[in-house]
Amino acid sequence: MALNFRGPDAVPLTLQINGEAHQVLVEPRRTLLSVLREELGLTGTKRGCGQGQCGACTVILDGETAYACLTLAIECEGREIVTIEGIAQGDALHPVQAAFIQHDGYQCGFCTPGQVVSAVALLAHTPQPSEAEIRAGMAGNICRCGAYPAIIRSVRAAAETMAEQEG
Amino acid sequence: MTIHRFAHADAASLQEVVAALDETCLPLGGGTDLVAMMKAGLMAPERLVNLKTLPDHHGVRPGDGGWRIGALMTLADLAADPAVAEAPALASLVEAVLDSASPQLRTMATLGGNLLQRPRCWYFRNPEVPCWRKGGRRCFAFRGENKYHTLLGGGPCYAPHPSDPAVALLALGAAVRLSGPAGDRTLALDDFYVTPTRDAQRADGYHPVTVLAPDEVLVEVLIPGSAANARSAYVKLMERGVWDFALVSVAVNLALSDAGQVAAARVALGGVAAVPWRATEAEEALLGGSLTPEAIDRAAEAVVAGTRPLEHNAYKVDQLKAALRQALRRWTAD
């Protein structure tokens, strides 16, 4: 049995993003980040370093956070992709988003989509995190403004809100 | 940062993978190193084979009283696997994995890829700099900015190996199983890693630090049963508190007798050589004695035997001593 190579010319892909199937025609060299932003207009996911060193492009793949800038789109077929655009329920903000607004969990806001996505995934796995768990869970998202104390407060407040809603 | 054009295939069997691999067709694991290398224009394979779609090598199995770890396990899955996380003997491996990179990178990166990472040296990663390791004529770190560079093993390349798990696994006495067209071979990590030399150069100009052939795949990491009766620790010193490469790291694996004497010792160092480095002098200093303050002092002196600092990295000599003391003091009764 031989390997079935696709490309280097564009190949049709079906990507499941925020609960919807999207068809795109892209070369295998395209990253998930470039397909989200340039093919699908989902520009909430930010391109920071483009080298997997800043976390601005964080998305959720099958329940786990990943850097879209180092993920090839062709390897995302059949996976559940959640971007920052899929975090709110319609016009109702996710408790993490509301907490970032209430507690000023950002300054310039560029890293915020990645921070929010990481916090949502963290609280899905660890609903009542300690401060150490928040710091460890958010370690892959750099904030060059240095809003870390407010980010940690925001995540803790979101955990409390979510616990109340559960209760 | 546009990546060059390439073709891509999902692997279904190891046989078809090793039949396809050569200098122009590379295996792709989590992509956290290779995709970044391609984005920087430092590598340009014509074809990539996605190993993650292989049916095997994604889990931990018992083997010969020890453990057999699939090389396609992600770092996150490895640290969370009960067979690993709940084994006291593997404490060093779990620490090394959780000290690696960031949560996002740990869910992406595979263990095999982590062991095969290319150096993070700023000269190596700069496509404008024709450094020796990637086929150029000299190492720019040797007389340049070498704060993060090596103390041991000498040149021609002074970039440290970036893996944390490799250091813990070397101290655990681990081996790797490699699969190629002619079959499998198993090598101790001591023999798998080789310091880069002028003799060994790939077709793409790069100097390798392992004996992995272009048509071989690292499929499994084997931790021997002898490690199961010992205790282990991993200490990593970084500039940041998290998500940083080691300035230095020390992994220790000790078997203590009932009387508290060191019956077996393996010590490995990270951040200080082009490959994960066995500290045999420190092992000899520890063997047969108990972990008294004097014995720890002797081991700390022995661990820096043979170090030759560059202009900006002498601080690493003191750090090595401190990291070894920190590791050994976990088992002293004070």
Side-chain angles (χ1 to χ4, degrees), chain A residues 1-10 27-31 47 49-55 58 64-67 69-72 74-75 114 118 135-142 144 148, chain B residues 1-13 16-17 20 25 28-33 35-40 47-50 52 77 102-108 120 240 242-243:
Chain A
M1 198 167 64
L3 290 163
N4 175 28
F5 280 99
R6 295 188 290 172
D9 294 333
E27 295 171 325
R29 63 171 164 170
R30 296 289 296 277
T31 62
R47 175 184 284 118
C49 68
Q51 288 278 317
Q53 295 171 6
C54 78
T58 301
E64 307 282 353
T65 55
Y67 295 140
C69 75
L70 294 183
T71 303
L72 297 178
I74 197 170
E75 296 192 351
S118 277
R135 286 172 173 272
M138 301 296 292
N141 294 77
I142 284 178
R144 282 293 76 137
Y148 297 109
Chain B
M1 282 195 292
T2 306
I3 302 176
H4 71 285
R5 282 159 52 86
F6 60 82
H8 177 281
D10 288 329
S13 82
E16 63 183 26
V17 174
C25 178
L28 180 64
T32 58
D33 187 17
V35 174
M37 289 286 287
M38 294 192 305
K39 282 187 142 189
R47 285 164 295 153
L48 290 182
V49 181
N50 176 16
K52 298 181 293 298
D77 286 345
S102 69
Q104 289 92 324
L105 291 168
R106 291 194 296 272
T107 67
M108 299 169 71
R120 302 285 162 173
R240 304 178 74 228
V242 289
W243 196 8

Coordinates of all heavy atoms in Angstrom, one line a residue, chain A residues 1-10 27-31 47 49-55 58 64-67 69-72 74-75 114 118 135-142 144 148, chain B residues 1-13 16-17 20 25 28-33 35-40 47-50 52 77 102-108 120 240 242-243:
Chain A
M1 N 0.9 -1.2 0.0 CA 0.0 0.0 0.0 C 0.9 1.3 0.0 O 1.8 1.3 0.8 CB -0.9 0.0 1.2 CG -2.1 0.9 1.1 SD -3.3 0.6 2.4 CE -2.4 1.1 3.9
A2 N 0.6 2.1 -0.9 CA 1.5 3.3 -1.0 C 0.8 4.5 -0.3 O -0.4 4.5 -0.2 CB 1.8 3.7 -2.5
L3 N 1.6 5.5 0.0 CA 1.1 6.7 0.7 C 0.3 7.5 -0.4 O 0.7 7.6 -1.5 CB 2.3 7.5 1.2 CG 3.0 7.0 2.4 CD1 4.3 7.6 2.6 CD2 2.1 7.2 3.7
N4 N -0.7 8.1 0.1 CA -1.5 9.0 -0.8 C -1.2 10.4 -0.6 O -1.7 11.1 0.3 CB -3.0 8.7 -0.5 CG -3.9 9.6 -1.3 OD1 -3.5 10.1 -2.4 ND2 -5.1 10.0 -0.8
F5 N -0.2 10.9 -1.4 CA 0.2 12.3 -1.2 C -0.8 13.2 -1.9 O -1.3 13.0 -3.0 CB 1.6 12.5 -1.9 CG 2.7 12.0 -1.0 CD1 3.3 10.7 -1.2 CD2 3.2 12.8 0.0 CE1 4.3 10.3 -0.4 CE2 4.2 12.3 0.9 CZ 4.8 11.1 0.7
R6 N -1.0 14.3 -1.2 CA -1.9 15.4 -1.8 C -1.0 16.6 -1.8 O -0.2 16.9 -1.0 CB -3.1 15.6 -0.9 CG -4.0 14.4 -0.9 CD -5.3 14.7 -0.2 NE -5.1 14.9 1.3 CZ -6.1 15.3 2.1 NH1 -7.3 15.6 1.6 NH2 -5.8 15.4 3.4
G7 N -1.3 17.5 -2.9 CA -0.5 18.7 -3.1 C 0.7 18.4 -3.9 O 0.8 17.3 -4.4
P8 N 1.6 19.4 -4.1 CA 1.6 20.7 -3.4 C 0.5 21.6 -3.9 O 0.4 22.7 -3.3 CB 3.0 21.2 -3.8 CG 3.4 20.5 -5.1 CD 2.7 19.2 -5.0
D9 N -0.2 21.3 -5.0 CA -1.3 22.2 -5.4 C -2.4 22.1 -4.4 O -2.5 21.3 -3.5 CB -1.8 21.8 -6.8 CG -0.7 22.0 -7.8 OD1 0.2 22.9 -7.6 OD2 -0.7 21.3 -8.8
A10 N -3.3 23.1 -4.5 CA -4.4 23.2 -3.5 C -5.3 22.0 -3.5 O -5.5 21.3 -4.6 CB -5.3 24.4 -3.9
E27 N -3.5 24.9 -0.3 CA -2.3 24.1 -0.4 C -1.9 23.4 0.9 O -2.2 24.0 2.0 CB -1.1 24.9 -0.9 CG -1.3 25.5 -2.3 CD -0.2 26.6 -2.6 OE1 0.2 27.3 -1.7 OE2 0.2 26.6 -3.8
P28 N -1.3 22.3 0.9 CA -0.9 21.6 2.2 C 0.0 22.5 3.1 O 0.1 22.3 4.3 CB -0.1 20.4 1.7 CG -0.7 20.1 0.4 CD -1.0 21.4 -0.3
R29 N 0.7 23.4 2.4 CA 1.6 24.3 3.3 C 0.9 25.3 4.1 O 1.5 26.0 4.9 CB 2.6 25.0 2.3 CG 1.9 26.0 1.4 CD 3.0 26.8 0.7 NE 2.5 27.5 -0.5 CZ 3.1 28.4 -1.1 NH1 4.4 28.8 -0.7 NH2 2.6 29.0 -2.2
R30 N -0.4 25.4 4.0 CA -1.1 26.5 4.7 C -1.4 26.1 6.1 O -1.8 24.9 6.4 CB -2.5 26.7 4.0 CG -2.4 27.3 2.6 CD -1.9 28.7 2.6 NE -2.8 29.6 3.3 CZ -3.9 30.2 2.6 NH1 -4.1 29.9 1.4 NH2 -4.7 31.0 3.3
T31 N -1.1 27.0 7.0 CA -1.4 26.7 8.5 C -2.9 26.9 8.7 O -3.6 27.7 8.0 CB -0.6 27.6 9.4 OG1 -1.0 29.0 9.1 CG2 0.9 27.5 9.2
R47 N -2.4 36.6 14.7 CA -1.0 36.1 14.4 C 0.0 37.1 15.1 O 0.0 38.2 14.9 CB -0.7 36.3 12.9 CG 0.7 35.9 12.5 CD 1.0 36.1 11.1 NE 0.5 35.0 10.3 CZ -0.4 35.2 9.3 NH1 -0.9 36.3 9.0 NH2 -0.8 34.1 8.6
C49 N 3.7 36.0 16.9 CA 5.1 35.6 16.5 C 5.1 34.7 15.3 O 6.1 34.7 14.5 CB 5.8 34.9 17.7 SG 5.1 33.3 18.0
G50 N 4.1 33.9 15.1 CA 4.1 33.0 14.0 C 5.0 31.8 14.2 O 5.3 31.0 13.3
Q51 N 5.6 31.7 15.4 CA 6.6 30.6 15.6 C 6.3 29.8 16.9 O 7.1 29.1 17.4 CB 8.0 31.3 15.9 CG 8.6 31.9 14.6 CD 9.3 30.8 13.8 OE1 10.0 30.0 14.3 NE2 9.1 30.8 12.5
G52 N 5.0 29.9 17.3 CA 4.6 29.1 18.5 C 5.3 29.5 19.8 O 5.5 28.7 20.7
Q53 N 5.5 30.8 19.9 CA 6.2 31.4 21.1 C 5.4 32.4 21.9 O 5.8 32.9 22.9 CB 7.5 32.0 20.7 CG 8.5 30.9 20.1 CD 9.7 31.6 19.5 OE1 9.9 32.8 19.6 NE2 10.6 30.7 18.9
C54 N 4.2 32.7 21.3 CA 3.4 33.8 22.0 C 2.0 33.4 22.5 O 1.5 34.0 23.4 CB 3.4 35.1 21.2 SG 2.2 35.1 19.9
G55 N 1.3 32.5 21.8 CA 0.0 32.1 22.2 C -1.1 32.9 21.6 O -2.3 32.6 21.9
T58 N -3.9 30.9 19.8 CA -4.5 29.7 20.4 C -5.9 29.4 20.0 O -6.8 30.2 20.0 CB -4.4 29.9 22.0 OG1 -3.1 30.1 22.4 CG2 -5.0 28.6 22.7
E64 N -8.5 20.3 23.3 CA -7.2 20.7 23.8 C -6.7 22.0 23.1 O -6.9 22.1 21.9 CB -6.2 19.6 23.6 CG -6.6 18.2 24.1 CD -6.4 18.1 25.6 OE1 -5.9 19.0 26.2 OE2 -6.9 17.1 26.1
T65 N -6.0 22.9 23.8 CA -5.5 24.1 23.2 C -4.3 23.7 22.3 O -3.6 22.8 22.6 CB -5.1 25.1 24.2 OG1 -4.2 24.6 25.1 CG2 -6.3 25.7 24.9
A66 N -4.2 24.5 21.2 CA -3.1 24.3 20.3 C -2.7 25.7 19.6 O -3.6 26.6 19.6 CB -3.4 23.3 19.2
Y67 N -1.5 25.8 19.1 CA -1.2 27.0 18.4 C -1.5 26.8 16.9 O -0.9 25.9 16.2 CB 0.3 27.3 18.5 CG 0.8 27.6 19.9 CD1 2.0 27.1 20.4 CD2 0.0 28.4 20.7 CE1 2.4 27.4 21.7 CE2 0.4 28.7 22.0 CZ 1.6 28.2 22.5 OH 2.0 28.5 23.8
C69 N -0.7 28.6 14.5 CA 0.4 29.0 13.6 C 1.3 27.9 13.2 O 2.1 28.0 12.3 CB 1.1 30.2 14.2 SG 2.3 29.8 15.5
L70 N 1.3 26.8 14.1 CA 2.2 25.7 13.8 C 1.4 24.5 13.4 O 2.0 23.4 13.3 CB 3.1 25.4 15.0 CG 4.1 26.4 15.4 CD1 5.0 25.9 16.6 CD2 5.0 26.8 14.3
T71 N 0.1 24.6 13.2 CA -0.8 23.5 12.9 C -1.1 23.6 11.4 O -1.6 24.6 10.9 CB -2.0 23.6 13.7 OG1 -1.7 23.6 15.1 CG2 -3.0 22.4 13.4
L72 N -0.8 22.5 10.6 CA -1.2 22.5 9.2 C -2.7 22.3 9.1 O -3.3 21.4 9.7 CB -0.4 21.4 8.5 CG 1.1 21.6 8.4 CD1 1.7 20.4 7.7 CD2 1.5 22.9 7.8
I74 N -4.3 21.0 6.7 CA -4.6 19.7 6.1 C -4.7 18.6 7.2 O -5.3 17.6 7.0 CB -3.6 19.4 5.0 CG1 -4.1 18.3 4.1 CG2 -2.2 19.0 5.7 CD1 -3.2 18.0 2.9
E75 N -4.1 18.9 8.4 CA -4.2 17.9 9.4 C -5.3 18.1 10.4 O -5.4 17.5 11.5 CB -2.8 17.8 10.2 CG -1.7 17.4 9.3 CD -0.4 17.0 10.0 OE1 -0.3 17.3 11.2 OE2 0.5 16.5 9.3
G114 N -6.5 34.8 22.5 CA -5.7 33.6 22.9 C -5.9 33.4 24.4 O -6.0 32.2 24.8
S118 N -7.6 30.0 26.0 CA -6.9 29.2 26.9 C -7.6 29.0 28.3 O -7.7 28.0 28.9 CB -5.5 29.7 27.2 OG -4.6 29.3 26.2
R135 N -2.0 29.7 36.8 CA -0.7 30.1 36.2 C -0.2 29.1 35.3 O 0.3 29.4 34.2 CB 0.3 30.4 37.3 CG 0.0 31.7 38.1 CD 0.9 31.8 39.3 NE 0.8 33.1 39.9 CZ 1.5 34.2 39.5 NH1 2.4 34.1 38.6 NH2 1.3 35.4 40.1
A136 N -0.2 27.8 35.7 CA 0.3 26.7 34.8 C -0.5 26.6 33.5 O 0.0 26.5 32.4 CB 0.3 25.4 35.6
G137 N -1.9 26.7 33.7 CA -2.8 26.5 32.5 C -2.7 27.7 31.5 O -2.9 27.5 30.4
M138 N -2.3 28.9 32.0 CA -2.3 30.1 31.2 C -0.8 30.4 30.7 O -0.6 31.4 30.1 CB -2.8 31.3 31.9 CG -4.3 31.1 32.4 SD -5.4 31.0 31.0 CE -5.3 32.6 30.3
A139 N 0.1 29.4 31.0 CA 1.5 29.7 30.8 C 1.9 29.9 29.3 O 2.9 30.4 29.0 CB 2.4 28.6 31.5
G140 N 1.1 29.3 28.5 CA 1.4 29.4 27.0 C 0.9 30.6 26.3 O 0.9 30.6 25.1
N141 N 0.5 31.6 27.1 CA 0.0 32.8 26.5 C 0.7 34.0 27.0 O 0.5 34.3 28.2 CB -1.6 33.0 26.7 CG -2.3 31.9 26.0 OD1 -2.4 30.8 26.4 ND2 -2.9 32.3 24.9
I142 N 1.5 34.7 26.2 CA 2.3 35.8 26.7 C 1.5 37.1 26.5 O 0.8 37.3 25.5 CB 3.6 35.9 25.9 CG1 4.5 34.8 26.5 CG2 4.3 37.2 26.0 CD1 5.8 34.7 25.8
R144 N 2.4 41.0 26.4 CA 3.5 41.9 26.5 C 3.2 43.2 27.2 O 4.0 44.0 27.6 CB 4.0 42.2 25.0 CG 4.9 41.1 24.5 CD 6.2 41.0 25.2 NE 6.1 40.3 26.5 CZ 6.9 39.3 26.9 NH1 7.9 38.9 26.2 NH2 6.7 38.8 28.1
Y148 N -0.8 40.3 33.5 CA -1.0 39.0 34.2 C -1.8 39.0 35.4 O -2.7 38.2 35.6 CB 0.4 38.3 34.4 CG 1.2 38.1 33.1 CD1 2.3 38.8 32.8 CD2 0.7 37.1 32.2 CE1 3.0 38.6 31.7 CE2 1.4 36.9 31.1 CZ 2.6 37.6 30.8 OH 3.3 37.4 29.6
Chain B
M1 N 6.8 34.9 6.2 CA 7.0 33.5 6.8 C 6.1 32.5 6.0 O 5.5 31.7 6.6 CB 6.6 33.5 8.2 CG 7.7 34.1 9.1 SD 7.5 33.7 10.8 CE 6.0 34.7 11.2
T2 N 6.1 32.7 4.7 CA 5.4 31.7 3.9 C 6.2 30.4 3.8 O 7.4 30.5 3.5 CB 5.1 32.2 2.5 OG1 4.5 33.5 2.6 CG2 4.2 31.3 1.7
I3 N 5.5 29.3 4.0 CA 6.2 28.0 3.9 C 6.4 27.6 2.4 O 5.5 28.0 1.6 CB 5.5 26.9 4.7 CG1 5.3 27.4 6.1 CG2 6.2 25.6 4.6 CD1 4.4 26.4 7.0
H4 N 7.5 27.0 2.0 CA 7.7 26.5 0.7 C 6.5 25.5 0.4 O 5.9 24.9 1.3 CB 9.0 25.8 0.6 CG 9.1 24.5 1.3 ND1 9.2 24.5 2.7 CD2 9.0 23.2 0.9 CE1 9.1 23.2 3.1 NE2 9.0 22.4 2.0
R5 N 6.3 25.2 -0.9 CA 5.3 24.2 -1.3 C 5.8 22.8 -1.0 O 6.9 22.5 -1.3 CB 5.0 24.4 -2.8 CG 4.1 25.6 -3.1 CD 4.2 26.0 -4.5 NE 4.0 24.9 -5.5 CZ 2.8 24.5 -6.0 NH1 1.7 25.1 -5.5 NH2 2.7 23.6 -6.8
F6 N 4.9 22.0 -0.5 CA 5.2 20.6 -0.3 C 3.9 19.7 -0.5 O 2.8 20.2 -0.4 CB 5.8 20.3 1.0 CG 5.0 20.7 2.2 CD1 4.0 19.9 2.7 CD2 5.2 22.0 2.8 CE1 3.2 20.3 3.8 CE2 4.4 22.3 3.9 CZ 3.4 21.5 4.4
A7 N 4.1 18.4 -0.7 CA 3.0 17.5 -0.7 C 2.9 16.8 0.7 O 3.9 16.8 1.4 CB 3.2 16.4 -1.8
H8 N 1.7 16.3 1.0 CA 1.5 15.8 2.3 C 0.7 14.5 2.2 O -0.2 14.4 1.4 CB 0.7 16.9 3.1 CG 0.2 16.5 4.5 ND1 -0.8 15.6 4.7 CD2 0.8 16.8 5.7 CE1 -0.9 15.5 6.0 NE2 0.0 16.2 6.6
A9 N 1.0 13.5 3.1 CA 0.3 12.3 3.2 C 0.1 11.9 4.6 O 1.0 12.1 5.4 CB 1.0 11.2 2.4
D10 N -1.1 11.3 4.9 CA -1.3 10.7 6.2 C -0.8 9.3 6.2 O -1.2 8.5 5.3 CB -2.8 10.7 6.5 CG -3.3 12.1 6.8 OD1 -2.5 12.9 7.4 OD2 -4.5 12.4 6.5
A11 N 0.0 8.9 7.1 CA 0.5 7.5 7.2 C -0.5 6.6 7.7 O -1.3 6.9 8.7 CB 1.8 7.5 8.1
A12 N -0.6 5.4 7.1 CA -1.5 4.3 7.6 C -0.7 3.1 8.2 O -1.2 2.5 9.1 CB -2.5 3.9 6.6
S13 N 0.5 2.9 7.7 CA 1.3 1.8 8.2 C 2.8 2.3 8.2 O 3.2 3.1 7.3 CB 1.2 0.6 7.3 OG 2.0 0.7 6.2
E16 N 4.9 1.6 4.9 CA 4.8 2.5 3.8 C 5.6 3.8 4.1 O 6.1 4.4 3.2 CB 3.4 2.8 3.4 CG 2.6 3.5 4.5 CD 1.1 3.7 4.2 OE1 0.6 2.9 3.4 OE2 0.5 4.6 4.7
V17 N 5.6 4.1 5.4 CA 6.4 5.4 5.8 C 7.9 5.2 5.5 O 8.5 6.0 4.8 CB 6.2 5.7 7.3 CG1 7.0 6.9 7.7 CG2 4.7 6.0 7.5
A20 N 9.0 5.4 2.1 CA 9.0 6.7 1.4 C 10.0 7.6 1.9 O 10.4 8.6 1.1 CB 7.6 7.3 1.6
C25 N 11.9 13.7 1.8 CA 10.6 13.3 2.4 C 10.7 13.0 3.9 O 11.4 12.0 4.2 CB 10.1 12.0 1.6 SG 8.5 11.4 2.2
L28 N 6.5 13.8 9.9 CA 6.0 15.0 10.7 C 5.3 14.5 11.9 O 4.3 13.7 11.8 CB 5.1 15.8 9.8 CG 4.5 17.0 10.5 CD1 5.5 18.1 10.9 CD2 3.5 17.7 9.5
G29 N 5.7 14.9 13.1 CA 5.0 14.5 14.3 C 4.1 15.7 14.7 O 3.2 16.1 13.9
G30 N 4.3 16.3 15.8 CA 3.5 17.4 16.2 C 3.8 18.7 15.5 O 3.0 19.6 15.5
G31 N 4.9 18.8 14.8 CA 5.2 19.9 14.0 C 5.7 21.2 14.7 O 6.0 22.2 14.1
T32 N 5.9 21.1 16.0 CA 6.2 22.3 16.8 C 7.7 22.7 16.5 O 8.0 23.9 16.7 CB 6.1 22.0 18.3 OG1 6.9 20.9 18.7 CG2 4.7 21.7 18.7
D33 N 8.5 21.8 16.0 CA 9.8 22.2 15.5 C 9.9 22.3 14.0 O 10.3 23.3 13.5 CB 10.9 21.2 16.1 CG 12.3 21.7 15.8 OD1 12.5 22.9 15.5 OD2 13.2 20.8 15.9
V35 N 7.6 22.5 11.6 CA 6.9 23.6 10.9 C 7.5 25.0 11.2 O 7.6 25.8 10.3 CB 5.4 23.6 11.4 CG1 4.6 24.8 10.8 CG2 4.7 22.3 10.9
A36 N 8.0 25.2 12.4 CA 8.7 26.4 12.7 C 10.0 26.5 11.8 O 10.3 27.6 11.3 CB 9.1 26.5 14.2
M37 N 10.7 25.4 11.7 CA 11.9 25.4 10.8 C 11.6 25.7 9.4 O 12.3 26.5 8.7 CB 12.6 24.0 10.9 CG 13.3 23.7 12.2 SD 14.9 24.6 12.5 CE 15.9 23.8 11.3
M38 N 10.5 25.2 8.9 CA 10.1 25.4 7.5 C 9.6 26.9 7.3 O 9.9 27.5 6.3 CB 8.9 24.5 7.1 CG 9.4 23.0 7.0 SD 8.2 21.9 6.2 CE 6.7 22.2 7.2
K39 N 8.9 27.4 8.3 CA 8.5 28.8 8.3 C 9.7 29.8 8.2 O 9.7 30.8 7.5 CB 7.7 29.2 9.5 CG 6.2 28.7 9.4 CD 5.5 29.2 10.6 CE 4.1 29.6 10.1 NZ 3.3 30.3 11.2
A40 N 10.8 29.4 8.9 CA 12.0 30.2 8.9 C 12.8 30.0 7.6 O 13.8 30.7 7.4 CB 12.8 29.9 10.1
R47 N 8.2 16.5 0.5 CA 7.0 15.8 1.0 C 7.1 15.6 2.5 O 8.2 15.4 3.0 CB 7.0 14.4 0.3 CG 6.6 14.5 -1.2 CD 6.9 13.2 -1.9 NE 8.3 13.0 -2.0 CZ 9.0 11.8 -2.1 NH1 8.3 10.7 -2.1 NH2 10.3 11.8 -2.1
L48 N 5.9 15.6 3.1 CA 5.8 15.3 4.5 C 4.9 14.2 4.7 O 3.8 14.1 4.1 CB 5.3 16.6 5.3 CG 6.2 17.8 5.4 CD1 5.5 18.8 6.2 CD2 7.5 17.4 6.1
V49 N 5.3 13.3 5.7 CA 4.4 12.2 6.0 C 3.9 12.4 7.4 O 4.8 12.4 8.4 CB 5.1 10.8 5.8 CG1 4.1 9.7 6.2 CG2 5.6 10.7 4.4
N50 N 2.6 12.5 7.6 CA 2.1 12.7 9.0 C 2.1 11.4 9.7 O 1.3 10.4 9.4 CB 0.6 13.2 8.8 CG -0.1 13.4 10.1 OD1 0.5 13.4 11.2 ND2 -1.4 13.5 10.0
K52 N 1.1 11.0 12.8 CA 0.1 10.9 13.9 C -1.1 10.0 13.5 O -1.8 9.6 14.4 CB -0.4 12.4 14.2 CG 0.7 13.3 14.7 CD 0.3 14.7 15.0 CE -0.2 15.5 13.8 NZ 0.9 15.7 12.9
D77 N -0.2 13.9 27.0 CA -0.8 12.5 27.2 C 0.2 11.7 28.1 O -0.2 10.9 28.9 CB -1.1 11.8 25.9 CG -2.3 12.3 25.3 OD1 -3.1 13.1 25.9 OD2 -2.5 12.1 24.1
S102 N 5.0 24.8 26.7 CA 3.7 25.4 27.3 C 2.6 24.4 27.1 O 2.8 23.4 26.4 CB 3.4 26.7 26.5 OG 3.0 26.3 25.1
P103 N 1.5 24.6 27.8 CA 0.4 23.7 27.6 C 0.0 23.4 26.2 O -0.2 22.2 25.8 CB -0.8 24.4 28.3 CG -0.2 25.3 29.3 CD 1.1 25.7 28.7
Q104 N 0.0 24.4 25.3 CA -0.4 24.2 23.9 C 0.6 23.4 23.2 O 0.3 22.5 22.5 CB -0.5 25.6 23.2 CG -1.7 26.5 23.6 CD -1.3 27.4 24.7 OE1 -0.6 27.1 25.6 NE2 -1.9 28.6 24.7
L105 N 1.9 23.6 23.5 CA 2.9 22.9 22.8 C 3.0 21.4 23.3 O 3.2 20.5 22.5 CB 4.3 23.5 23.0 CG 4.5 24.8 22.2 CD1 5.8 25.6 22.7 CD2 4.6 24.6 20.7
R106 N 2.6 21.2 24.6 CA 2.6 19.8 25.1 C 1.5 19.0 24.5 O 1.6 17.8 24.4 CB 2.6 19.8 26.6 CG 3.9 20.3 27.2 CD 4.0 20.0 28.7 NE 2.9 20.7 29.5 CZ 3.0 21.9 30.0 NH1 4.1 22.6 29.9 NH2 2.0 22.4 30.8
T107 N 0.4 19.7 24.1 CA -0.7 18.9 23.5 C -0.4 18.6 22.0 O -1.0 17.7 21.4 CB -2.1 19.6 23.6 OG1 -2.1 20.8 22.8 CG2 -2.5 19.9 25.0
M108 N 0.5 19.3 21.5 CA 0.9 19.1 20.1 C 2.1 18.2 19.9 O 2.1 17.3 19.1 CB 1.2 20.5 19.4 CG 0.0 21.5 19.4 SD 0.6 23.2 19.0 CE 0.9 23.0 17.2
R120 N 18.1 25.3 19.6 CA 17.4 26.6 19.6 C 18.4 27.8 19.6 O 18.0 28.9 19.8 CB 16.6 26.7 20.9 CG 15.6 25.6 21.0 CD 14.4 25.9 20.1 NE 13.6 24.6 19.9 CZ 12.4 24.6 19.3 NH1 11.9 25.7 18.8 NH2 11.8 23.4 19.2
R240 N 12.9 32.3 32.9 CA 11.6 32.5 33.3 C 11.1 31.4 34.2 O 11.7 30.4 34.3 CB 10.7 32.6 32.0 CG 11.1 33.6 31.0 CD 10.1 33.5 29.8 NE 8.8 34.0 30.1 CZ 7.7 33.4 29.8 NH1 7.7 32.3 29.2 NH2 6.5 34.0 30.0
V242 N 8.4 29.6 33.8 CA 7.8 28.6 32.9 C 8.2 28.9 31.5 O 8.7 29.9 31.2 CB 6.2 28.7 33.0 CG1 5.7 28.2 34.4 CG2 5.7 30.0 32.7
W243 N 7.8 27.9 30.6 CA 7.9 28.0 29.2 C 9.3 28.6 28.8 O 9.3 29.6 28.1 CB 6.8 28.9 28.7 CG 6.6 28.7 27.2 CD1 7.2 27.8 26.4 CD2 5.7 29.5 26.3 NE1 6.8 28.0 25.1 CE2 5.9 29.0 25.0 CE3 4.8 30.6 26.6 CZ2 5.2 29.6 24.0 CZ3 4.1 31.1 25.5 CH2 4.3 30.6 24.2

